[in-house]
Amino acid sequence: MRISATVGALALVAGAGIAGPAAAAEDGWYVVGFGGQASTQNVERTELDQNLLDLFGSVGLDIVDATSNLDDSDTGFGLSVGYQANDNFAVELGYVDLGEISYTATGTVTDGFADYATDFSLSQSAAGPVLSLLGIWPVSERFSVFGRVGIALMSVDADAAISIDDISDAASTSSDRSNATYGVGAEFSFGNRFAVRFAYDRYAGVGSDDITGDTDVDLASIGLRYTFR
C-alpha cells in the first residue's frame, strides 16, 4: 500500500458520502486502540547478504554456499489517548509497537582447508510513545478524514547471533531515538460514543546504526475509538 493510494481511496469514499460539512465527532476526551501491519522500508536482503560476506571475509572465511531470508513485516499495534478541541483539531498521546524484522542465513564457509556449517540471524524491534497533532476535515455527520504529524520516541532493540560449527557468539544493542511520524486516515462514527478508524502512518528514521541503519516503518491499521461523555 502506498500513501498516494490511501489518499485516493479516502477521496473516493469522501466523494461518495458527502452530506455537507458537519462534525463527525464531538469535542472531548477519547481513547483509540488499533492494530495492523507494520512494514519496514529501506532494508534490502542483498545489502544484508553483502554485509555478511564482508563479515566472514574480515576473518579470512569465504562462503561456499548459502541461503538467506528477510522478513520485513510484522503485526503493529498501539493505544492512544486523545483530546479533540474542536471540529478540526485534536492532539493524541499514545504508545506504538512496530513489531520486529528478522534476517536469517545458513550455509557453508571455508578457510581454504576445511568447510564449516554456519548459521547467522539478526532481529530488530521498535516501540515507544508517540505525540501527534491531527488536522480533521468533517465530510459528513458521521464521516471524517484527517492528517497526522508528530514525534515518536522509539526504543530500538537489535540482536545478532552467529555460529560456525561448534563455535557461537551473540550480541545485542539498544538505542532511544526521536523520530518524525506522519500519516493520513479516515473515521466513521456509529452511535454516540464509538467510531471505526482507518489509518496509514509512517515512522521515519527508525533503526539501529549497527544493524540496519536508518529505516522507515509504515503502519496500516484499523482501530476503534471510544469517546468519553
Side-chain angles (χ1 to χ4, degrees):
M1 179 184 289
R2 302 288 185 186
I3 289 181
S4 58
T6 305
V7 173
L10 295 181
L12 182 62
V13 174
I18 290 178
E26 294 186 14
D27 303 346
W29 292 97
Y30 62 89
V31 62
V32 180
F34 55 92
Q37 179 170 285
S39 302
T40 302
Q41 312 299 317
N42 314 332
V43 176
E44 299 291 339
R45 184 174 61 86
T46 53
E47 292 183 7
L48 296 175
D49 288 344
Q50 185 59 54
N51 291 342
L52 190 56
L53 282 170
D54 295 340
L55 175 63
F56 284 125
S58 68
V59 293
L61 296 175
D62 295 319
I63 294 179
V64 177
D65 62 75
T67 59
S68 64
N69 179 70
L70 172 64
D71 184 357
D72 59 4
S73 63
D74 197 6
T75 300
F77 58 90
L79 181 68
S80 296
V81 175
Y83 181 80
Q84 184 158 339
N86 52 49
D87 292 349
N88 304 110
F89 176 79
V91 59
E92 292 184 0
L93 176 63
Y95 183 87
V96 177
D97 189 320
L98 296 176
E100 180 181 270
I101 65 171
S102 63
Y103 168 83
T104 58
T106 183
T108 304
V109 297
T110 182
D111 59 5
F113 300 97
D115 294 342
Y116 307 95
T118 183
D119 291 286
F120 178 80
S121 66
L122 67 82
S123 62
Q124 176 180 284
S125 61
V130 180
L131 177 65
S132 57
L133 304 177
L134 276 65
I136 305 166
W137 176 41
V139 178
S140 69
E141 183 178 358
R142 294 191 177 276
F143 181 75
S144 64
V145 294
F146 61 86
R148 175 196 307 276
V149 63
I151 185 169
L153 303 177
M154 287 289 158
S155 177
V156 181
D157 297 320
D159 298 283
I162 188 171
S163 66
I164 302 175
D165 267 5
D166 57 351
I167 301 174
S168 61
D169 196 10
S172 61
T173 180
S174 298
S175 62
D176 296 321
R177 292 187 167 205
S178 59
N179 316 93
T181 180
Y182 50 90
V184 294
E187 198 169 81
F188 182 80
S189 301
F190 58 95
N192 295 322
R193 298 177 181 266
F194 294 96
V196 175
R197 174 181 290 188
F198 302 91
Y200 189 84
D201 299 300
R202 167 159 289 190
Y203 297 81
V206 178
S208 168
D209 292 333
D210 298 329
I211 304 297
T212 62
D214 282 342
T215 60
D216 299 331
V217 180
D218 295 338
L219 177 61
S221 65
I222 182 172
L224 181 65
R225 164 172 163 159
Y226 176 82
T227 301
F228 298 99
R229 296 288 186 238

